[in-house]
Amino acid sequence: MSNALAIAATTLTLQSLLTRATPNVTVQPPDRARDAGGGDQLNLFLYQASANGALRNAEMPGLVRTGEVGHPPLPLVLNYLITAYADDEARGHAVLGGAMGVLHDHMLLGADEIRNATTALLPDSDLHDQLERVRITLMPLGLEELTKLWSGFQTQFRLSVGYEVSVVLIESTRRRRSPLPVLRRGPEDRGPEVMAARAPALTGVRAPGGMPGAPLGSTLTLLGSGLTHEHAVVVFRHPRLEAPIEVAPGQAAREGELPVTLPGDAEAGHLWPPGFYTVSLRLAPPGLPAWSSNEVPFALVPTVTLSPATAPPGDLTLTVLCRPRLHDEQRALLLFGDRQVEPVSVTTPAQPDQPTSLEFHLGALVQGEYLVRLRVDGVDSQPVVSSGTPPTLQFDPGQRVVIS
C-alpha cells in the first residue's frame, strides 16, 4: 500500500541516494537551484507526473479478493531532471557521473532505503510497504526536449539528465465493497438449476406487409430461434418510458416465428408512445429463474387524421390528430410534400382516450395534391396502403391534402 505521500517519499529517497555522490543535493526549480552558493551540487527536479497505462485499471496488488469491488489505485510515473553544478565545468561532469553511477547501482528502490530516507520528514509515508517495486530508469532526453525544458525554466542551460521512476501507487481512499461469503448455492444447497433447452435468440421483427414499422393493433412476427409462447412474454422498451411494456405472444405457426399482437384500444393509445422500441422475449418457466433473449429494434408508427383534407389555394393551417398520443419531449415534424414543417402548437388532452392535436402553419399553397406524413422521434406515419388483386402499394388517400 502507499498513500498520498508517495510522491514526496520517492523524491526524498532519491535525494538521500544522491548524497552518496555529493553531500549537497537540492530539490529546487532549476532557475533557483544555484541560489544557495557555489561548490559541488546536484539538483533533483520533478518536472512531470503521468499515469501508468498498464496498471491504470488494475486492482491494488495484495488486496484482490474474490467478489470484492473497489476503486483502483492511481499508478504514477514520475519524471525527474538531475542537474550537476560545480565551480569548474569538468568538476561538474564528475559530479554528474557520480550521481548516474549511484542510480545505476540502485535501479530498484528497496524498502529499507525508502524507510530510512522518509522516517524523519515523512513518518506517515508507507511507500516502503508497496508490493510493487519502484524502478529507476535512465531516460535520454533529446536536444529538442532539453531545449523546451530549459526554455520553460527561463534560465541558462546546464548539463542534465532525465530519469523515469515507476510505478508509484497511491491507494484510493474510497471504501471497498465486501460481500458476505456464500453459504449455500440455491435452495437446499442444490447448486444452479440446469434446463436442457435452447436459449431464445431474436434476429428481427417482421411488420405486416413488409413495412418498416407497424401501428397499434397490428400483429408482428418475431423472427429467431428457440422461440416459444409457453411461459413467455414479449418485452417492449421505449427510451421515454420508465418501465417496459409486456405483451403475451400467440402460438407459433412455424419454426423460428412467434406472433405478437399489439393492443389497439384507447388505453394503449395513451400508454404506448410512437417511436423506436427494442423488443426481447423473456421466458419464466415455473420453478426456474427467468432469462431473456437479445433485443432487436421495432418502429411503432403514428396514425394520423388530417383536417382539413381539402382547401382552396392560399394560407392553410393544418390540424393533425395523432394516435398513439405523444409523450412529453417527443419531437414531431410534418412532412408536407417535400417540405419539413415544425408545429406551432402541440396539445395532448387530459382525457387519455383523446389523441394529440398538432397545428402547422403551411403558408400560401397553390393547387395540387400534397402527401402528408407525421414524423415522431424519427418514425414516420405510413403514407402507403396495400390494395388490389394482386395487392400493390399505393399512396394512402387519407394522408393527402388536396388544394383546389
Side-chain angles (χ1 to χ4, degrees):
M1 296 184 295
S2 51
N3 55 26
L5 299 176
I7 298 177
T10 303
T11 302
L12 279 181
T13 305
L14 294 177
Q15 184 181 22
S16 176
L17 286 175
L18 292 174
T19 57
R20 303 183 185 187
T22 180
N24 186 15
V25 180
T26 57
V27 183
Q28 294 288 342
D31 60 328
R32 295 170 48 194
R34 204 57 173 162
D35 293 348
D40 296 350
Q41 178 186 352
L42 286 170
N43 187 67
L44 176 69
F45 177 64
L46 173 63
Y47 70 90
Q48 179 174 279
S50 58
N52 183 291
L55 299 177
R56 193 162 193 170
N57 295 315
E59 284 284 358
M60 195 76 174
L63 294 182
V64 180
R65 299 289 187 274
T66 301
E68 288 192 2
V69 179
H71 203 60
L74 174 62
L76 292 178
V77 178
L78 307 179
N79 292 94
Y80 288 90
L81 191 70
I82 298 177
T83 309
Y85 299 89
D87 296 334
D88 178 75
E89 192 67 23
R91 178 57 189 166
H93 296 173
V95 173
L96 183 62
M100 296 178 68
V102 169
L103 296 182
H104 179 72
D105 292 338
H106 294 80
M107 298 178 62
L108 290 174
L109 295 182
D112 291 339
E113 292 173 328
I114 299 174
R115 184 187 297 107
N116 294 336
T118 58
T119 298
L121 296 179
L122 295 175
D124 296 329
S125 168
D126 52 8
L127 181 62
H128 57 275
D129 291 331
Q130 179 178 293
L131 294 181
E132 287 283 344
R133 299 290 298 275
V134 180
R135 180 179 295 272
I136 303 174
T137 306
L138 175 64
M139 295 295 292
L141 299 175
L143 180 60
E144 182 179 357
E145 293 175 285
L146 286 172
T147 302
K148 290 180 178 179
L149 284 173
W150 284 95
S151 61
F153 300 151
Q154 297 184 354
T155 187
Q156 291 183 346
F157 173 80
R158 295 291 303 177
L159 181 61
S160 52
V161 63
Y163 280 88
E164 180 182 275
V165 181
S166 67
V167 59
V168 177
L169 298 175
I170 297 181
E171 185 180 4
S172 173
T173 57
R174 295 175 61 176
R175 294 182 179 179
R176 300 178 63 86
R177 294 180 58 188
S178 301
L180 296 175
V182 177
L183 300 181
R184 294 188 303 174
R185 300 170 300 167
E188 300 179 1
D189 201 21
R190 296 176 57 186
E193 299 283 354
V194 179
M195 181 177 179
R198 289 186 300 171
L202 298 180
T203 58
V205 178
R206 186 173 65 213
M211 296 293 182
L216 287 177
S218 303
T219 298
L220 309 176
T221 302
L222 305 185
L223 307 177
S225 59
L227 308 183
T228 177
H229 70 285
E230 296 181 354
H231 313 299
V233 292
V234 181
V235 181
F236 293 84
R237 288 184 171 86
H238 190 280
R240 301 190 186 278
L241 295 179
E242 295 183 359
I245 301 175
E246 299 180 354
V247 180
Q251 188 169 356
R254 63 180 66 182
E255 180 71 19
E257 297 184 359
L258 188 66
V260 55
T261 300
L262 302 179
D265 54 12
E267 182 181 6
H270 172 65
L271 296 178
W272 293 66
F276 286 104
Y277 287 76
T278 60
V279 186
S280 62
L281 183 66
R282 189 177 76 241
L283 302 182
L288 295 176
W291 70 89
S292 298
S293 72
N294 59 303
E295 296 183 341
V296 293
F298 159 70
L300 180 65
V301 302
T303 301
V304 298
T305 302
L306 309 179
S307 178
T310 61
D315 291 343
L316 176 65
T317 297
L318 184 67
T319 300
V320 179
L321 301 181
C322 175
R323 294 183 176 86
R325 293 150 53 98
L326 272 62
H327 281 216
D328 293 341
E329 300 181 0
Q330 284 198 289
R331 186 187 179 198
L333 278 175
L334 184 71
L335 307 183
F336 190 82
D338 59 355
R339 297 166 51 194
Q340 294 188 4
V341 184
E342 296 274 357
V344 294
S345 67
V346 179
T347 304
T348 300
Q351 300 86 347
D353 60 338
Q354 296 298 311
T356 297
S357 176
L358 304 96
E359 285 194 357
F360 299 89
H361 289 339
L362 302 177
L365 299 177
V366 298
Q367 290 184 350
E369 293 187 357
Y370 299 87
L371 184 69
V372 177
R373 292 161 290 166
L374 182 66
R375 176 173 295 172
V376 180
D377 285 353
V379 176
D380 294 355
S381 59
Q382 290 182 354
V384 295
V385 292
S386 179
S387 63
T389 306
T392 58
L393 294 179
Q394 301 177 2
F395 286 122
D396 185 359
Q399 292 196 56
R400 286 186 297 182
V401 173
V402 178
I403 303 298
S404 60

